[in-house]
Amino acid sequence: LVKGGFQAEGFWEKNQGFLTCRNPVIRGAAVTPLLSVLSLDIETNADTGEILSIACSGKSDRVFIRGSGTAHALFFFCENEKDLLIKFFGHLRHDDPDVIIGWNVIDFDLQVIQKRCGFLHVPFRPGRDEGCAVIEGKTAGQAFVRIPGRVVMDVPAMLRASFHAFEEYSLDFVASVMLGKRKSIQTTGRAKIDEINRTFRDNPVSLAEYNLHDAQLTKEIFDTAGILPNAIERSKRSGHLLDRTGGSVAAFDYLYLPLLHREGYVAPDAADVKMPSAPLPGGYVLEPKPGLYENVLVFDFRSLYPSIIMTFKIDPLGLVAPSLNRVQGPAGPPFAADISILPAIIAELMEARAKAKQEKNPYLSQAIKILMNSFYGVLGAAGCRFFSAELAAAITKTGQFIFRQTMEHIQSSKNCPVIYGDTDSLFVHTGAGTGEQAAALGSAIAQETTAWLAAMLKERFGVISALELQYERHFRHFFMPTVRGTLQGSKKHYCGSVVDASGMALVFKGMESARSDWTDLAKEFQHELFMRFFAKQPVEAYIISVVNNVRNGGEDGRLIYKKRLRKKLDEYTGHLPPHVQAAKLLPSPGNLIKYYMTTAGPQPVECRTAPIDREHYIDCQLKPIADSVLEWLGTSFDKIVSGQQELFTRN
């Protein structure tokens, strides 16, 4: 089976600069190529669409810029825009990169270059052969590029595919988080356009330096995030091209179909798959018990769904293959124990991942993890040729069974309540006085429960368990809020503290501090409030000081909302959300909209005309955060802020 690399044997001949092999015999081979990378960035006059400069950072750094100036080792002055494009393509042929990268390089840089090439009658040929093209998508972010002989990787898209999450995906923001560096021009919108045009007019070299800095920053982020080695390892396992960021169904087909054919079976066509008549069951979510807890241990199952597939031989072929030796699990139909494909694939991947961890290869480990965890989603997707509602339900319902049995065992054998759980994670409250022994206690519970689970499954279902419960972490303090206005716990929302020699750190899940569409002020307010809450310090004076500072205008710089446009602006109809209303006030809005809530409604930061509605931020940002904590202290935000707060003590 060919996975990424291959070897070819046959008759080789040179043909127009290329090696051609006729009637080759191709076999898979373990190959890790050494690929060269060039980072591309352009600066344009946004009013005219003209390209002012093109920066390249690769084997050598170059900036091609219009105008005249003193000769420089890095900067090449060009007579006009056409001359700039011709010299840029010449540099690409000389540098000859395998991979071209950039920040929104497909949706912006290459599209602009292609358009300007068409306007100026310059052949658009950034590849090693003819046929180069950028094809625009119907909506933003859907364009794709065809560059023969080279791979093009858009760095923000590849960061998302590698599970690098950021509050926003601007180059400036990601560089400041990952590298601690910032761009030299940090304005946005019309102000940035004017500054770039002014810099080009007054000092072209300064623009060239800025342009090159962006290209270098992009390449440094690309290298720091390990995007290329991650993509190579993913390709070696899934067969995907290096620039492919999705495609779980295709990856599953790639691995499964050859093995299915070797068993003498033909796969069904995806067009014949029947849509499910009802929603498929999901993972088990335990109703949370809201409140403040001391010493909570978190456990999770190692690759729960893949382990269930291995344990109970859950497999598309095993579902239909004739066999008298079948495994009946806790839910769903029985599967053939002696005729299956998927359990062996997962076993091989798990072994490979363990080896990757042992060899300290995080890229391979991450690639295998993503691939394994996608299998359930693929089998539960109607777009997959192997989709089966009863097969997918067998996995999730078995997961629910495993979760409930494990929870009941821990509570009865350890006398420790499970206060929350979600799909594959359990939160166990061990109580006061157990903090010093948390790690030892967690490891002991995980080992004993794994052994008990294996014995139980062997006795009840006759299977060899691949399931493993792992101790993940210890929260010294743990808080789960209620759903606002009710006594019911809020699922997937909590805050926990991790205490070590360096002090206390907070972990937020689902709450305001973990969400990108809440203001910086709200996030800092919540963080500081919980630090005081967990440390049993007074919170009233702090709350009052923040409210007064907001009303006095001292926090205006941190009241900015940030929200992404998920589609083109004209595709939003009906009731428009605030960030869309603000975007419609901009002459050329980007994907990320930054706006204030003003007395005249939402207005973008770049062109705000009305006063900031500071009471909105007090009522809609500070109050909900404070009340989630204050209800456990017997008071409320309104009482404190209005001056009606009475003395109280924590119970």
Side-chain angles (χ1 to χ4, degrees), residues 524-562:
E524 182 179 308
F525 178 71
Q526 185 172 62
H527 184 276
E528 180 62 24
L529 195 63
F530 271 90
M531 290 292 283
R532 293 168 183 258
F533 179 48
F534 287 158
K536 300 184 179 181
Q537 297 175 351
V539 298
E540 302 91 326
Y542 171 69
I543 292 172
I544 292 171
S545 70
V546 174
V547 169
N548 288 339
N549 209 27
V550 171
R551 284 178 172 154
N552 294 334
E555 300 289 355
D556 286 356
R558 299 196 298 159
L559 300 181
I560 299 171
Y561 286 106
K562 303 171 187 176

Side-chain angles (χ1 to χ4, degrees), residues 124-341:
F124 178 69
R125 192 172 174 180
R128 289 170 171 151
D129 201 357
E130 297 178 355
C132 301
V134 182
I135 294 89
E136 293 187 43
K138 293 183 178 180
T139 59
Q142 288 190 339
F144 66 94
V145 63
R146 182 174 62 243
I147 307 292
R150 310 193 202 282
V151 174
V152 178
M153 290 184 170
D154 180 77
V155 175
M158 299 306 294
L159 285 171
R160 293 187 184 96
S162 302
F163 295 92
H164 291 274
F166 299 94
E167 182 179 333
E168 60 179 273
Y169 284 85
S170 67
L171 176 57
D172 184 35
F173 186 86
V174 175
S176 65
V177 173
M178 286 192 68
L179 310 175
K181 299 179 179 180
R182 301 185 69 83
K183 296 168 60 176
S184 54
I185 296 179
Q186 297 172 24
T187 56
T188 59
R190 183 70 241 179
K192 178 180 179 180
I193 293 170
D194 292 341
E195 185 170 351
I196 287 176
N197 292 341
R198 182 172 59 254
T199 302
F200 174 68
R201 182 179 63 252
D202 298 339
N203 188 354
V205 172
S206 292
L207 181 63
E209 291 173 343
Y210 165 72
N211 193 186
L212 181 59
H213 181 58
D214 279 5
Q216 291 170 335
L217 271 185
T218 300
K219 190 170 187 301
E220 193 170 350
I221 290 170
F222 182 82
D223 293 337
T224 301
I227 291 175
L228 184 56
N230 196 314
I232 289 172
E233 295 295 353
R234 187 176 67 244
S235 179
K236 288 163 64 175
R237 287 287 166 179
S238 69
H240 278 336
L241 298 177
L242 293 179
D243 58 344
R244 186 76 177 268
T245 57
S248 296
V249 171
F252 188 88
D253 279 354
Y254 180 83
L255 290 173
Y256 198 90
L257 285 175
L259 300 175
L260 182 68
H261 295 162
R262 291 175 187 177
E263 292 290 333
Y265 289 84
V266 176
D269 193 279
D272 297 329
V273 173
K274 295 182 179 180
M275 297 293 290
S277 57
L280 298 176
Y284 187 84
V285 180
L286 178 65
E287 195 68 34
K289 300 174 183 178
L292 176 64
Y293 299 88
E294 286 188 58
N295 298 311
V296 171
L297 306 183
V298 183
F299 301 88
D300 65 9
F301 285 98
R302 179 183 67 117
S303 302
L304 176 62
Y305 287 167
S307 297
I308 287 173
I309 291 171
M310 285 179 60
T311 300
F312 295 96
K313 306 297 183 183
I314 298 176
D315 179 66
L317 175 58
L319 178 63
V320 299
S323 174
L324 297 177
N325 182 12
R326 307 190 76 83
V327 175
Q328 176 62 64
F335 294 86
D338 52 350
I339 307 175
S340 65
I341 295 173

Side-chain angles (χ1 to χ4, degrees), residues 97-138:
D98 301 304
V99 182
I100 296 175
I101 67 171
W103 208 266
N104 300 320
V105 65
I106 299 174
D107 284 322
F108 181 71
D109 301 79
L110 287 174
Q111 282 198 39
V112 171
I113 292 173
Q114 179 176 257
K115 288 177 181 178
R116 297 308 296 172
C117 282
F119 181 78
L120 297 168
H121 305 291
V122 175
F124 178 69
R125 192 172 174 180
R128 289 170 171 151
D129 201 357
E130 297 178 355
C132 301
V134 182
I135 294 89
E136 293 187 43
K138 293 183 178 180

